[in-house]
Amino acid sequence: MVDSARQVRSANYPIWVYFAVPLLALLIQVYLPLFQTLRFISRIELPLLVTIYFAIMRRSQLRGLLIGVTLGLAQDSVFQQHLGMYGICKTLVGYFSASIGMQFDVEHAFVRLVLCFVFYLFHQFFYWLLQRSLLDQPAVFDIQTELILAALNAVIGVALFHVLDKLRKPD
């Protein structure tokens, strides 16, 4: 838990970071899996990790919603999914991430690891739920595979967050 309002201050970044990092995450998510040897990258949810990072570091629920819906709808349109599926899931993740960022000190690697793990599982479960209920499509939620992928995404998320921390404006 945070002790003072000073700890809850949001992180500031140069304006180009807000455009370049999500765009790069989407491009990596789309184009690298096209190469046969890099197909495993499609299982790494980089737009989700970017959504979590900016939501917890900006500590604003409105901004968390905005980054979530923007990245989610962009991912929907690029992957030619049903428009709104990723948008809904990432919007909820952005909102809840920002809510947690306002309440807890999210600067520690272990906290970030746990958040990435939990939000990956939440995202995948909610996507599965929407696919089954809204689209009435048969979908399988294999918990063992999702736990392994959640752990992998969490480790990658902590490393990515460390790199993105270096892009912050000095206080």
Side-chain angles (χ1 to χ4, degrees):
M1 298 290 281
V2 292
D3 296 331
S4 67
R6 186 174 193 278
Q7 288 180 322
V8 181
R9 191 173 12 170
S10 69
N12 290 319
Y13 302 90
I15 194 74
W16 65 267
V17 171
Y18 293 111
F19 295 104
V21 171
L23 181 63
L24 185 63
L26 281 170
L27 290 175
I28 289 172
Q29 189 80 24
V30 170
Y31 290 113
L32 284 185
L34 295 177
F35 297 104
Q36 191 66 26
T37 57
L38 298 175
R39 283 207 180 269
F40 68 93
I41 290 179
S42 67
R43 301 304 298 231
I44 298 168
E45 204 36 73
L46 286 177
L48 175 67
L49 296 175
V50 169
T51 300
I52 294 169
Y53 179 77
F54 282 124
I56 65 174
M57 296 313 291
R58 291 296 298 174
R59 293 176 170 91
S60 166
Q61 294 165 334
L62 186 59
R63 289 186 180 149
L65 285 169
L66 182 65
I67 189 74
V69 74
T70 303
L71 269 172
L73 289 176
Q75 192 173 2
D76 281 332
S77 62
V78 170
F79 283 122
Q80 305 195 354
Q81 300 279 335
H82 293 282
L83 194 60
M85 295 290 286
Y86 280 123
I88 293 169
C89 295
K90 283 187 179 45
T91 301
L92 289 173
V93 168
Y95 177 80
F96 291 131
S97 297
S99 298
I100 288 176
M102 290 171 37
Q103 300 296 322
F104 295 100
D105 181 17
V106 292
E107 298 288 330
H108 299 292
F110 181 72
V111 173
R112 291 176 172 186
L113 183 81
V114 170
L115 286 176
C116 287
F117 184 83
V118 168
F119 281 125
Y120 178 84
L121 286 177
F122 172 77
H123 179 270
Q124 295 304 103
F125 176 76
F126 200 71
Y127 188 84
W128 171 80
L129 187 68
L130 287 176
Q131 199 173 12
R132 302 250 330 167
S133 61
L134 288 181
L135 301 178
D136 197 26
Q137 292 179 345
V140 177
F141 186 76
D142 183 21
I143 191 67
Q144 291 176 336
T145 303
E146 295 303 332
L147 286 172
I148 292 168
L149 289 172
L152 176 67
N153 276 277
V155 170
I156 291 170
V158 170
L160 176 67
F161 292 3
H162 181 70
V163 170
L164 292 176
D165 282 342
K166 305 257 187 232
L167 299 175
R168 273 196 228 173
K169 284 183 183 176
D171 288 335

